Amino acid sequence: MYTFPELRTKLKRLPKNLQRLFATDPVAAAVGIGFLMAGVYIRHLNKLGSFKDGLGAMCDALVIAAILKLTVDPVLKRELAKDAAKDVFLYAFGYSLPPKLREFVNDLVLETKIVRRQCHLKWHIAPKSGDPTRVEVYLDASFFIMNFSGSDLPYQHRVFSWKENSEDVGCVKALFCEAKGSNHSTYRKEKPDELTPGLDGFILGDKIHLAAHTEEDQFRIGAVYYAEAEHPGLDQFTIVEPTMEIDVTVTVDDELSDLVFSVVPDPTEKKDSENYVYPERQKSSNKLEYTWSLKRVFVPNERVLIRWKKREIKPPAFVTIP
């Protein structure tokens, strides 16, 4: 038995509970079907007299309400959420931006559905055989691809090879996709006929299917690039899709241990353009390596550059002893 205060509290909650119950799609569908049948039955009854038309119209109204709940209401909520997101965007920082930049950021924030996560750019610098003035540059670039929208989307990896000068050697050596628990999406392209650029200059991987709200580690996609350069020299990776967090690792052969390296953008956000570092000997691999972590969001057409030059040997400083 309930006490009077408890009973009064439960009666107060009853309208809200009924509202939640009738707001669910199965109940709305059942109500719609029930009143549709009731409307047909009422119109065939002669006992109701003048009440028949009024009750039939009421049943029609409830059927229409159920149809609106199941069809129109989700669309309105989705559009309302989108409009709210636009309003929040403008309130947060949109009004303070120039119109063109505001339009760009608006499209990036509200229209982006596919992003790259945990991108790792692994550069390997090796001496060029027979030419002490040049080096061979290998880049293994890989990332997890994610679809964070509520709809399934197709995806196809697109790459191209960048060269500092037109006469330089530059090519894509491989394209690959490592799919967790899904062998049909896994591929690796290494043959020359599989790596032929299209008319737009891009080399395409296989099409894969990204389910809505893709797991972060479901698909790891990447490419292996090769180029030749001089020292001092540089190599770069161009961002073609929104990318969150990039780790940059450079590995250099022992024959080039006199090289120092820097990355742009500088993760320390210093303005010093000569922020070069020395690769360090790794205990686990015994290789000369250095890693930078770029903890930020990159937008399409941004670039990550790695630069190298021979370390400068500074003459010793002489101190006058009084």
Side-chain angles (χ1 to χ4, degrees), residues 318-322:
F318 293 96
V319 179
T320 302
I321 301 176

Side-chain angles (χ1 to χ4, degrees), residues 141-159:
S142 64
F143 52 87
F144 289 114
I145 196 72
M146 287 186 61
N147 166 25
F148 61 86
S149 73
S151 304
D152 294 359
L153 294 173
Y155 180 79
Q156 192 169 25
H157 190 200
R158 302 166 67 244
V159 302

Side-chain angles (χ1 to χ4, degrees), residues 3 36 272 287 298:
T3 63
L36 176 64
D272 185 3
K287 295 180 179 179
F298 291 81

Side-chain angles (χ1 to χ4, degrees), residues 255-283:
E255 296 90 330
L256 300 174
S257 59
D258 59 341
L259 295 182
V260 290
F261 297 85
S262 72
V263 161
V264 178
D266 186 349
T268 63
E269 299 184 356
K270 295 180 180 178
K271 303 302 181 182
D272 185 3
S273 60
E274 298 298 315
N275 189 24
Y276 285 85
V277 298
Y278 300 93
E280 301 171 350
R281 183 75 63 182
Q282 303 299 307
K283 294 182 179 180

Side-chain angles (χ1 to χ4, degrees), residues 134 161-171 227-230:
R134 296 179 66 81
S161 181
W162 176 86
K163 297 186 292 184
E164 184 177 5
N165 299 305
S166 58
E167 63 271 14
D168 284 345
V169 176
C171 63
E228 294 180 8
E230 299 177 351

Side-chain angles (χ1 to χ4, degrees), residues 179-187:
K180 183 181 72 173
S182 179
N183 294 329
H184 67 278
S185 297
T186 298
Y187 64 82

Side-chain angles (χ1 to χ4, degrees), residues 101-119:
L101 183 57
R102 185 192 312 159
E103 181 181 349
F104 169 76
V105 178
N106 179 69
D107 292 341
L108 176 66
V109 173
L110 298 177
E111 302 299 330
T112 298
K113 297 180 180 178
I114 295 177
V115 298
R116 299 178 177 184
R117 298 291 309 271
Q118 299 183 33
C119 179

